[in-house]
Amino acid sequence: MTKATTEFQQQESLAAFDRACKFMPGGVNSPARAFGAVGGKPLFIERAEGPYLYDVDGNQLIDYIGSWGPMIMGHAHPKVVEAIREAALRGTSYGAPTRAETELAELIVEAVPSIEKLRLVNSGTEATMSAIRLARGATGRDKIIKFAGNYHGHADSLLVAAGSSAANLGVPDSPGVTAGTSQDTLVLQYNDAEQLERAFTEHGGQLACVILEPVVGNMGCVPPRPGFLERARELCTQHGTVLIFDEVMTGFRVAYGGAQALYGVTPDLTTMGKIVGGGLPMGLYGGRADLMDQVLPAGKVFQAGTLSGNPLATAAGGAALRLLRDESPYAYLEEQGKRLEVGLHQAATDAGVPHQIQRVGSMMTLFFHDRPVRCWLDASECDRTRFGKYFWGLIEHGVYMPCSQFEALFFSSTHTPQLIDQTVEAAAAVLKSL
Ligand SMILES: *Cc1c(COP(=O)(O)O)cnc(C)c1O
């Protein structure tokens, strides 16, 4: 284990990155980690605890990505670690059912009333891909609606105007995605209910589903405008279209029952990931029992997974969800979120930097934009060069923010008011120097 240094160092990370680049495309296993949107080279992490990341140079960093969402109770929480250890001692995978899967399913169904039945999978990508197959299978229709800047993982039909790293890389349409696949995907602007109405007028009878992030995290944090989710619900009901809330990011993040609890709008299907796996690879899709019963082997819509419901993942996820249920950190996270928001707003105002801060609970984004960001058209106007400088300035002050203007920051129940204040002080110094 390395010792924390006081001055920012990067030699070891640079060496680790050079070596990684020889064996892996771009040196990483997921593009969001490569710092492509902010310039420079990524830090290699050695360990994490509570609110901190420790990199291979011994820098201690206050973490605001939380593994891009999962670590809502902080890194290496003793109860989660213990649950994983106990499970591992009983064997790491069986390929046969376990009671832990049912116990986890019960926890989720209790937390999210719209989910009557669910299927565990291994990632958010698998969850959304499978939910869309089910929506198409159940309706016998082909077309789907998604919104620009919403990211739903990397399944072919969803890699059209996707947010997150796809947005950063400027390849919303990836090579390898066929025209045939993307022609059934209609892409609309988020928060534009009139455009959605027009799409239903034109294609209503052909639409299998509408999939959306009920609070967008993948073009930075963009909350739904009043009435937008409600209108999507009404239109889907009128036209027999399946409404899918992609709560891979917001599930158990913005409220215990997800964004659907916060906004009081009920989808037909929900996808989750990130927090539900407690930091291990897991996702799920679930919803109305009559829809879920169309999935094999109860029904005919094919979907399977050798490692689905893996005992380590269900142990970690179960431990994390029980912590969230029993300790309910949401009021605390809201309080600290407000503290960070107010502090950053003051710091940016004092520095004379045009900005917008958008936040729902413990997910938020400081946009370098002078107007509210409501859709991808707005988000794409942000000053990304300024964001890159802000990001690196904060790293040098020991604060690790998401490495893109189009990613929301996350913090955990282990982020104390003192750490939030320290973050605001660092940001104030950096914003003044921009
Ligand atoms: C992260 C994310 C996904 C993809 O999940 P993976 O586990 O990375 O495949 C899908 N949808 C949303 C909203 C996400 O934030």
Side-chain angles (χ1 to χ4, degrees), residues 156-157 160 173-174 176-185:
D156 281 3
S157 66
V160 184
D173 284 309
S174 166
V177 175
T178 64
T181 311
S182 53
Q183 80 185 9
D184 284 326
T185 305

Side-chain angles (χ1 to χ4, degrees), residues 243-408:
L243 179 61
I244 306 174
F245 276 9
D246 181 357
E247 298 228 37
V248 170
M249 194 177 273
T250 52
F252 296 96
R253 166 61 64 179
V254 298
Y256 188 66
Q260 52 196 277
L262 204 58
Y263 295 98
V265 179
T266 305
D268 301 301
L269 293 177
T270 298
T271 56
M272 291 195 177
K274 300 196 168 109
I275 289 175
V276 289
L280 267 74
M282 185 158 69
L284 65 89
Y285 63 108
R288 277 168 38 200
D290 65 303
L291 287 173
M292 290 308 295
D293 279 336
Q294 299 191 38
V295 176
L296 207 72
K300 293 188 174 146
V301 177
F302 190 88
Q303 189 269 311
T306 302
L307 292 174
S308 293
N310 173 268
L312 299 195
T314 51
L321 297 194
R322 280 183 200 97
L323 278 170
L324 290 171
R325 181 192 62 192
D326 300 342
E327 296 181 14
S328 191
Y330 298 99
Y332 176 81
L333 292 170
E334 171 60 28
E335 217 174 283
Q336 299 318 312
K338 188 89 208 160
R339 191 179 187 97
L340 184 59
E341 178 183 346
V342 168
L344 289 180
H345 174 61
Q346 192 60 51
T349 305
D350 291 347
V353 173
H355 67 281
Q356 298 291 315
I357 298 181
Q358 299 184 181
R359 178 180 72 84
V360 178
S362 56
M363 65 188 269
M364 79 184 238
T365 299
L366 186 156
F367 288 103
F368 292 107
H369 198 303
D370 55 5
R371 289 189 316 273
V373 173
R374 293 171 173 158
C375 64
W376 175 243
L377 295 175
D378 299 335
S380 63
E381 293 167 352
C382 291
D383 186 341
R384 285 181 249 181
T385 309
R386 183 167 262 172
F387 184 86
K389 291 182 190 157
Y390 173 69
F391 170 82
W392 276 110
L394 280 172
I395 287 273
E396 289 180 10
H397 282 80
V399 177
Y400 192 102
M401 285 286 171
C403 53
S404 163
Q405 174 73 93
F406 305 128
E407 300 281 6

